[in-house]
Amino acid sequence: MPIHEIHVSDNLFFAAFAMDLMYFIVEEVIGIHSRDVYIIYNLVWLFVALYLMIKYGIRQKYLSIIFIFGAIFVLSRMTKLTHDSANSEADLAILIFLCQCLACAILGAFFSDRRPLQVDYARFHIIISLGLIVVLIRKLSLGLFSDGVVTYQSVSYYSALMFGIGTYLIKKEKRFRNLAIEVVLTSTNAVICIAFGGRAAFILLVLYLVIAVLTRPVTKNSGRKFFVSIFVLVLFAYFTSDPSLRGVIKYGLNRATEYLGGGSGIRWDKTSNRDIIYGAYLNEISAHIILGSGILSDYYFEGYPHNFFIEVLYEGGLVYLMIWVLILLICLLNYIKHRSEYDYVMRYIIPAYVIVMSLFSGSYIRNGQFWMLFGYFIL
């Protein structure tokens, strides 16, 4: 069916991209953490993706995605057979991979012909930002910051993402009332990002600021001068807020930047032992350089290495790495080919988020946002 005849809101694309973010906020606000509920939530998204795929026609790109996921799943099961000990985290990771990541890849492919996407970013920005503010207030009220910064990497990443989207909304907004709301929420997201002390998220925050300054205004009447108000509000929040919050921001900023300034430019002892983790993986990689140690084998070793290329090289060696280099090159070429057709968020904000996360945090096996861009750009 031609894409213009498919009556599905583009808001579903961003809702799927932010599915983990929205679940996290609800979970934190309610205060109930249930693995079973999370699995059911992911299954619902997979059902939505499969329903849309079947309803509007099974195309070759969907079959290609399912084949890729099936191949990775089979290889992961082969890896599990070589390990005697059970690993619940590995089982959860592959379950997320088959539910959330597959759903995101299918939905990414589903919307891949829509350029630009017509997403109501302002509505998402307000709802999610308010949720993150509630999470911050709840952590403060429970005294979880009393001994210094609480490092919730996900909160830092999510607030940085909202900061990036906020810079776009500020640049395009014409009405003063809406502009004022976006400035307040965007600056608040910067404060939240810093307060939770995520190092990579702070890098993302700075990257978004650089992108905002270097790119042209989205509309004629909203230029770079609006970003001055962000800094003013951030400084205002810092110097006039409650002393406990000022302390949290100070600790968070210190944690986010304390790894800088060593003799080699990086103080590795301030990177949550990344040097030890990287070293252990590189030693294993050198021992299995051609075919690697097996898909998902990192869960049986030191836990995932928080770097996409090290993880891929460890899991499948040079063969698997070359496959992924080819895939990423195709994605890059498709991105360049259609770059002028993407909106600001799809051109800058979302790719930057996925790239920074892939290089510094988590695992691609359970990163739905990574697979959503894969589905959107690969085909």
Side-chain angles (χ1 to χ4, degrees), residues 291-308:
L291 296 177
S293 301
I295 305 298
L296 225 67
S297 55
D298 41 339
Y299 283 86
Y300 300 94
F301 181 49
E302 296 284 345
Y304 43 78
H306 299 280
N307 179 279
F308 172 79

Side-chain angles (χ1 to χ4, degrees), residues 354-371:
V354 172
I355 290 171
V356 171
M357 178 172 280
S358 298
L359 292 178
F360 298 109
S361 303
S363 166
Y364 78 101
I365 288 292
R366 54 193 300 174
N367 185 341
Q369 293 95 345
F370 172 89
W371 288 102

Side-chain angles (χ1 to χ4, degrees), residues 266-279:
I266 297 178
R267 297 175 58 188
W268 288 103
D269 59 318
K270 302 297 183 181
T271 61
S272 300
N273 298 321
R274 286 291 197 275
D275 55 334
I276 298 175
I277 295 173
Y278 292 161

